[in-house]
Amino acid sequence: MSTTLEIAIFLSMNGEAQDAINFYKRHFNAEQLMIVTYEDLAKMGDKSIEINDENKNHISHSILKIGKTKVMMNENPMDTNEKYKSGNNTSLCVQSADLEEIQQFYNSLITDERVRIIVPLASNIFSKAYGIIEDPFGIQIQLCFDERLK
């Protein structure tokens, strides 16, 4: 197992990510490590989201540090086919700077017939390997190669 492996809590906030970030900063002295809006994604070349005045400031990805724990947030559930409800707004984000490790985790997980693939592991605008599965217990797990963890 690599020394860069980490698991973070990931919260989908139903359009209230900025409010939640401000809440955690105010009450837990959370440090904001990163924030990427839909508009930022569009500027990076992501054409998967249609940008308008209502959603341009929505948060696609953010990272807060509360004590020693990273909490990530965005606006929507991991499975965009599902409507937001309490229960589908929490996932785990398994990250590593070891690309092979992320690929091995994904390949191992999908051998279990009870695992549902939400987003197949593939390269995208922010990672050489990113995918989302749902485990047999209803927990959605994001797998992400992140070379910044080195």
Side-chain angles (χ1 to χ4, degrees), residues 2-114:
S2 78
T3 59
T4 65
L5 181 67
E6 71 176 24
I7 298 177
I9 301 160
F10 198 104
L11 306 173
S12 300
M13 301 307 292
N14 198 30
E16 298 182 312
Q18 187 61 61
D19 190 30
I21 288 168
N22 293 338
F23 178 88
Y24 293 125
K25 286 168 73 173
R26 181 172 58 247
H27 296 289
F28 293 118
N29 297 317
E31 177 186 354
Q32 184 174 306
L33 302 179
M34 176 203 284
I35 193 162
V36 178
T37 65
Y38 287 3
E39 187 172 44
D40 294 334
L41 275 183
K43 289 177 184 175
M44 289 187 263
D46 187 337
K47 296 178 183 10
S48 66
I49 300 170
E50 188 174 321
I51 305 300
N52 57 48
D53 286 339
E54 288 181 30
N55 73 3
K56 69 181 181 183
N57 293 318
H58 278 201
I59 295 172
S60 170
H61 187 60
S62 66
I63 303 172
L64 296 178
K65 188 172 182 184
I66 303 173
K68 295 180 181 181
T69 303
K70 287 184 182 174
V71 177
M72 301 175 176
M73 279 184 243
N74 76 351
E75 304 293 352
N76 301 307
M78 292 297 97
D79 186 344
T80 56
N81 294 319
E82 292 182 337
K83 291 193 182 255
Y84 175 92
K85 65 181 179 203
S86 287
N88 74 352
N89 62 326
T90 305
S91 63
L92 298 177
C93 187
V94 178
Q95 302 183 112
S96 177
D98 183 339
L99 179 61
E100 189 174 296
E101 183 172 50
I102 291 299
Q103 292 168 329
Q104 286 173 349
F105 287 153
Y106 179 82
N107 290 335
S108 176
L109 286 161
I110 64 172
T111 63
D112 189 313
E113 64 187 32
R114 301 171 301 161

Side-chain angles (χ1 to χ4, degrees), residues 104-142:
Q104 286 173 349
F105 287 153
Y106 179 82
N107 290 335
S108 176
L109 286 161
I110 64 172
T111 63
D112 189 313
E113 64 187 32
R114 301 171 301 161
V115 167
R116 180 171 71 99
I117 298 171
I118 298 171
V119 175
L121 190 71
S123 179
N124 64 23
I125 197 161
F126 61 85
S127 176
K128 290 180 184 174
Y130 177 78
I132 306 170
I133 62 97
E134 184 175 276
D135 74 13
F137 317 101
I139 306 298
Q140 294 176 351
I141 301 172
Q142 302 173 67

